[in-house]
Every structure is written in structure tokens, then in C-alpha cells.
Amino acid sequence: MRLRYFLFLLFISITTVYFVGCSDDGLDPTGITTKDDDDDEPVNDPDFTIPTYADDYSAIASWSNRNEWNLANVHDPSVAYYNGYYYMYATDASYGNEAAGHGHFQGKRSTDLVNWEWIGGPFYEAPSWVADSLNAIRSRMDLDAIAENDIQYGFWAPVVRRVNVGGQEVLRMYYSIVIENYIKTGNPISASFDGSWTERAFIGMCESTDPAGAVWEDKGFVTTSSSDRGLDYSRASTNDWSGYFYYNAIDPTYIVAPGGKHYLIHGSWHSGFALLQVDAVTGKPLNTLGNPWADNASELSARYGLRIGTRTAGSRWQGSEAPEIIYKDGYYYLFMAYDGLDVPYNTRVVRSTNIEGPYYDITGRNFTNGNGDCYPIVTHPYKFNLSNGWVGIAHCCIFQDENTNDWFYMSQGRLPANVGGNAYSNAIMMGHVRRIVWCPASASEPDNLWPIALPERYAAVPDYGKITKDSLVGTWEHINLKYSYAQQKTATSLSLKADGTMTGALTGNWSYDETKKQLTLGNVIVCVEREVDWEANPRRVTLVYAGTEKNLNATYWGKLKK
């Protein structure tokens, strides 16, 4: 998380934002009929329009244009449905710091997941309990208090859920506040290195029955970063990444299990993810946490949470963060972000039949025990032709459409550096909403389904009926999302021929199950859907696919060219 914080500061020193508008054009490559040349609206849904807002929103980055932002300035989003709206809250992050000083965890809301309006967040100042809790811990460590005005705060990664408390539905938010002062002296980390690690993070909680009015009641402390190294917070140098804290108290996710128990999962880099049961009514830990240090990991975990996963066993700096958990059809699916947030960010998923684990990937690797990198890849830096593509696509939230029960993936996407001659374009953070498809692990396991995000962003394309085999014949842009650290995976041409053969990026035979909307490319089954081609000019509806195979260690993305 410390590396994450420094990278973030490096990439948010500019100016931006964006434009919202809608129109629709060119809906012919998928068997969709349209009106005459003077009106390109689809025949069966005259209200459907394709978003035209720019991916580079720098022209409207100023705070005064916030009502035009739509999905601009989104970082680490979390979404929950409440009183007819999807409410989204995110990390305090904005291109050029345009939102700085205007409240923390600012939100947006939407009725259709396409058009979003800005709303205020829960508070403008750090809650007083943070300084009180920090200095109470420092006192028990025989350290001097840090004057409240000298505490350096960072506001990170909230999670929001709709819960029933005493018969009333409320929005419950867990949020992260990071302290960027040294432990030993209490000096800010901008001061000279003092031979210690930086201070801890805290997770707090607040609730609202009026999120549209930005009315929230803060409930205070939930948990804090905790160490298995007793009071030895010394650090050899700023190049030492061995980590004082075992659990890092940021990036919370929250789930109500089918049996009614409530759990908070959190963690970023350091040693992995902690599972902490909380009270359904208060939202606070069931058990007394005690001092946030212990002499060993087992003693610490008994109080501060069970470790349910780590990218690398034994590593204190293991490059995974941002857990997000859902329950579906007997499995808990645990999504996570890999690597640094600016470019290499990519998303993986593992699952378990038990909330406490063990969690396994599609190949059977045990993530709970840190048995190697996990697959499938849900998102990864990529680039279709005729575009700059996207990087930094991770730290997701996963949620369902209240009407269709379709699953969605949402995260930020960043533009690469130097787009349009802008050296700081990598600090442009656009919110990406994508549908999830549930793909077979292999041809021999048709019911062993795993979640993959579609390659194109969601635009609420209407249902035009069955996708036929004939409509798949043509030239596709195919991307093999094989893991490459900080590298965009680029598209190559794939031709699906009417005789069932394919050439280009893949060779061999292809087939299609129209009922399941499953396209088989060699031995890999991908799921086919209609989405908008965001790289086309003008944007248009096309066909896309996403899928994997358990031994592929990669994901296939594709879209049909016009």
C-alpha cells in the first residue's frame, strides 16, 4: 500500500474530466436492423442511444464541471443499489486533484449504469476518532502523540452495501483512512527518514438512509493495521519492503453470507487478506481486537482476522490487494487486484465453498496457502486497434442488476502515458462498467463456470434476439490476455469462416452453440454478447466475446470488426 500511495501521488498532478452525450450509429454487423439512413436508431428500441462522451475527459476536469463528469474521476469504486439508484463511492482521486478539498469518498448515482450524476460523500474532514485511536495506540506503544494538525491523512477505497438494520434498509459504508507519518517520530513521511515504518491505516464505518442528500452517520472505528512483530517497527532503509504490518487495514469488502453472518475482508500487499466477522446490527467486530500487535502471526490472526489468501506465502510485500467477494451458486468468489495501480493492475479471481477458504483458482492452485499466481485473468491492460487502449484496470467491485440479476464488474481504467501529447494522461481515470460472462473451465466441464469481464464497456445495448452462427462469420480483433507485467496486450486479426475454419490469430476449427451463446475456438470456449464498439468512429453495436480454458493461463477477448 505504501508503494501504491507513492505511485498515486506521482500520477495525480494535472487537470481533467469529461463530456456526456449520446447518439447511435451503424448497428449493422450483428444482424440488427435499423431505420433508414436519416435515423439510425434500432427499430425495436427507439430510446437506445450510444454514449459519445470522450475517454479523455481533460477538457472538463475542473471542479466547476463536476455535473458533466459522468464516469470521469473514478478510482476504486464500490456500488450498491438503494431506493431506485445504483450508488457508487470511490477513493479520493481526481485528475489534477480537481476534487481535493470538496469532501471525501464523493459519489455518483445512476438508474441505468450508463449515465451517472455526481453526489456528495459522507464527510469533509477526517473523523475525530481517527486521531484519538491513533494516539491511544501510540500511547500504549510508549510513543509520543502526534498533534492532530500534524497527522497526514489519505482517504482510500470504501465499500458500500445495502443492509437491513432493525427492519430498516440502510447503506452501510466501510472506508479506509491511511496515516502517512513515521511511527518512531510521528513526522510526516515527507520529512527525513527516521528508521521506522510509516504509521497504520484504519477502517471505519458509516451509514445512511439519505445518500442522495449526502447525509451519513459515522459509526467510528472498526479495525486497524496490525503487526506480528511486536513493537519492532524499525526499518533498515526506504528500500526495505519487509513490512512491519501483517495486515494492512485498507481495501475492505463486505458480505452477508447465506446463513446471515456478516464478514469484512480487507488487505493490501503486506501478508494477504484478513477475514473478520462483524456484528450484523452494529457492523463492528464480534470479538475484542485488543492491541494491534502480537509476537507471531497465529496470535495476531486469532484477534484481527483469519488469513484467507496471499499471492506468495511468506512474502510481506506480495503484490495483491483490493479483495472483492460475492456468493453465487454454492461458491464464494474472491476477486483481487495484482501489481501496481498505474499501468500493470490486472484482476484475478479464486473461489471456495467456505467463506474461510481454502480458495482455489481455475487450475486448482491454493490461493489461501499462496501456491503461485492465480487464474483466470478477469481484466488486464489491453489495446484494440484504432485506440490508445486502457491500463490500470483493477480494484473492482462486483454487483448484480436489480432487474435482470446479471453480474457486473466495475473499476477504473487509466489511459496510457502521453496520450494526445499529455505526459500525465495516465492519471486520467475513467470508470468502466462491464458485464460479466460465466465461462466453462474447459470443454469437458461445461458446468464449471468462471467469471470473466467482457472486453467492451457496458452501454445497455437492447436485446435484439438470438445471436446466430452466421452473424459470427467475419473478421475479429482477437486479444490473448496472457499475463505480461505492465504491458498492454494488443489485438491481432482472426477470421472465422463460413465453413467452420479459422485463420489468423488462431487456426483450426470453430463451432457455436446458439442456445448457450458459446463460441468454441479450438479447445477454448468463449461467451458471445452484444456490446458497443467504443473504439469505432462513430461508436456502434457489435459482437464481443470473452472466455478462458483452465490450462490456458490466459483469457481470450475479441470483438467483431465492421
Side-chain angles (χ1 to χ4, degrees):
M1 188 279 296
R2 310 304 172 192
L3 176 62
R4 169 184 177 169
Y5 184 75
F6 288 126
L7 283 173
F8 181 73
L9 291 180
L10 180 63
F11 283 97
I12 59 167
S13 52
I14 351 300
T15 56
T16 57
V17 188
Y18 94 25
F19 166 70
V20 184
C22 290
S23 84
D24 177 12
D25 190 87
L27 307 179
D28 58 342
T30 61
I32 301 168
T33 56
T34 62
K35 293 184 179 179
D36 60 32
D37 291 340
D38 295 324
D39 187 349
D40 285 330
E41 296 290 347
V43 168
N44 61 340
D45 195 338
D47 295 325
F48 172 59
T49 54
I50 293 176
T52 60
Y53 56 75
D55 291 334
D56 181 348
Y57 56 78
S58 55
I60 56 167
S62 68
W63 175 250
S64 62
N65 290 325
R66 64 189 178 279
N67 290 326
E68 300 178 59
W69 286 358
N70 200 318
L71 284 172
N73 282 334
V74 169
H75 187 59
D76 307 337
S78 183
V79 174
Y81 188 80
Y82 187 78
N83 283 352
Y85 287 89
Y86 295 93
Y87 283 87
M88 183 266 289
Y89 298 88
T91 287
D92 280 13
S94 57
Y95 177 67
N97 295 311
E98 287 295 337
H102 297 287
H104 300 301
F105 310 121
Q106 296 163 44
K108 303 174 191 287
R109 69 174 187 171
S110 173
T111 58
D112 59 9
L113 300 177
V114 178
N115 301 294
W116 296 77
E117 62 177 330
W118 178 91
I119 56 173
F123 45 78
Y124 281 80
E125 303 291 338
S128 59
W129 67 261
V130 180
D132 294 342
S133 297
L134 172 67
N135 283 323
I137 293 170
R138 289 181 63 85
S139 176
R140 297 197 299 273
M141 296 174 71
D142 291 326
L143 294 166
D144 291 337
I146 306 175
E148 189 165 354
N149 289 339
D150 293 333
I151 298 174
Q152 306 293 302
Y153 298 100
F155 298 86
W156 289 90
V159 63
V160 62
R161 297 284 191 264
R162 186 181 75 226
V163 296
N164 190 296
V165 180
Q168 183 178 33
E169 294 221 315
V170 304
L171 277 190
R172 175 173 287 175
M173 178 192 293
Y174 290 92
Y175 56 86
S176 308
I177 296 183
V178 178
I179 308 301
E180 293 295 337
N181 297 68
Y182 286 117
I183 296 176
K184 182 178 180 180
T185 61
N187 292 334
I189 59 173
S190 57
S192 298
F193 175 61
D194 71 355
S196 72
W197 284 88
T198 52
E199 262 293 2
R200 66 196 62 248
F202 291 91
I203 293 175
M205 193 265 284
C206 56
E207 294 177 342
S208 177
T209 57
D210 183 16
V215 179
W216 292 79
E217 181 181 359
D218 191 66
K219 301 291 186 175
F221 172 91
V222 176
T223 190
T224 187
S225 301
S226 52
S227 177
D228 62 338
R229 294 184 170 179
L231 298 180
D232 183 8
Y233 46 79
S234 62
R235 188 182 189 188
S237 72
T238 55
N239 293 320
D240 175 6
W241 298 107
S242 60
Y244 171 61
F245 295 111
Y246 187 80
Y247 291 139
N248 191 9
I250 72 166
D251 295 355
T253 186
Y254 177 46
I255 188 172
V256 180
K261 293 181 178 179
H262 291 227
Y263 294 92
L264 188 73
I265 300 171
H266 66 275
S268 171
W269 295 63
H270 294 256
S271 296
F273 301 148
L275 173 75
L276 184 66
Q277 189 175 354
V278 297
D279 183 88
V281 175
T282 67
K284 301 296 184 70
L286 280 182
N287 301 318
T288 301
L289 298 179
N291 286 327
W293 65 82
D295 292 330
N296 56 72
S298 59
E299 179 188 340
L300 183 75
S301 296
R303 293 182 286 115
Y304 274 81
L306 176 70
R307 187 170 81 167
I308 61 169
T310 181
R311 182 172 175 179
T312 307
S315 171
R316 314 236 3 145
W317 200 244
Q318 42 78 58
S320 66
E321 62 182 3
E324 171 73 333
I325 193 166
I326 64 169
Y327 180 83
K328 182 181 186 295
D329 298 336
Y331 288 101
Y332 295 92
Y333 289 87
L334 180 61
F335 298 76
M336 73 202 82
Y338 268 22
D339 303 329
L341 60 84
D342 54 340
V343 174
Y345 241 11
N346 61 102
T347 309
R348 310 296 178 96
V349 63
V350 293
R351 72 185 186 188
S352 174
T353 56
N354 189 316
I355 186 75
E356 295 184 351
Y359 287 83
Y360 296 97
D361 83 341
I362 196 171
T363 71
R365 295 182 185 94
N366 188 325
F367 174 68
T368 297
N369 291 340
N371 289 345
D373 283 354
C374 293
Y375 294 89
I377 293 172
V378 181
T379 64
H380 188 282
Y382 74 98
K383 180 183 182 301
F384 280 120
N385 298 328
L386 306 178
S387 74
N388 298 296
W390 294 96
V391 299
I393 313 165
H395 196 129
C396 69
C397 64
I398 309 292
F399 60 94
Q400 279 188 289
D401 184 291
E402 287 290 313
N403 298 313
T404 66
N405 290 326
D406 288 340
W407 288 93
F408 288 85
Y409 169 107
M410 185 177 186
S411 73
Q412 70 281 347
R414 291 172 177 261
L415 290 178
N418 299 310
V419 170
N422 179 358
Y424 305 103
S425 58
N426 188 225
I428 291 173
M429 298 165 288
M430 179 68 74
H432 286 197
V433 179
R434 301 169 187 270
R435 277 191 293 169
I436 286 176
V437 289
W438 295 85
C439 306
S442 69
S444 63
E445 302 171 276
D447 299 322
N448 181 9
L449 303 180
W450 287 79
I452 305 290
L454 287 175
E456 293 284 21
R457 288 168 281 165
Y458 180 69
V461 174
D463 182 359
Y464 295 110
K466 286 187 176 180
I467 299 172
T468 65
K469 181 178 180 180
D470 289 344
S471 67
L472 305 184
V473 174
T475 302
W476 293 72
E477 291 187 39
H478 174 82
I479 300 178
N480 184 346
L481 286 181
K482 188 174 180 62
Y483 177 55
S484 296
Y485 183 85
Q487 298 296 313
Q488 287 179 284
K489 306 303 289 186
T490 57
T492 54
S493 181
L494 171 64
S495 178
L496 299 186
K497 299 182 180 299
D499 65 0
T501 62
M502 55 185 178
T503 60
L506 302 171
T507 58
N509 298 315
W510 69 277
S511 61
Y512 179 61
D513 185 324
E514 185 176 289
T515 301
K516 294 182 177 181
K517 295 190 290 185
Q518 291 180 355
L519 168 64
T520 301
L521 303 172
N523 68 335
V524 178
I525 299 174
V526 297
C527 299
V528 181
E529 295 290 350
R530 291 187 180 95
E531 278 297 352
V532 162
D533 184 340
W534 289 76
E535 292 78 32
N537 186 20
R539 291 167 178 163
R540 60 186 180 85
V541 173
T542 191
L543 297 178
V544 299
Y545 62 68
T548 190
E549 201 279 335
K550 67 179 183 180
N551 297 311
L552 188 64
N553 283 352
T555 289
Y556 283 174
W557 273 2
K559 72 172 180 180
L560 183 63
K561 295 173 65 175
K562 188 170 182 178

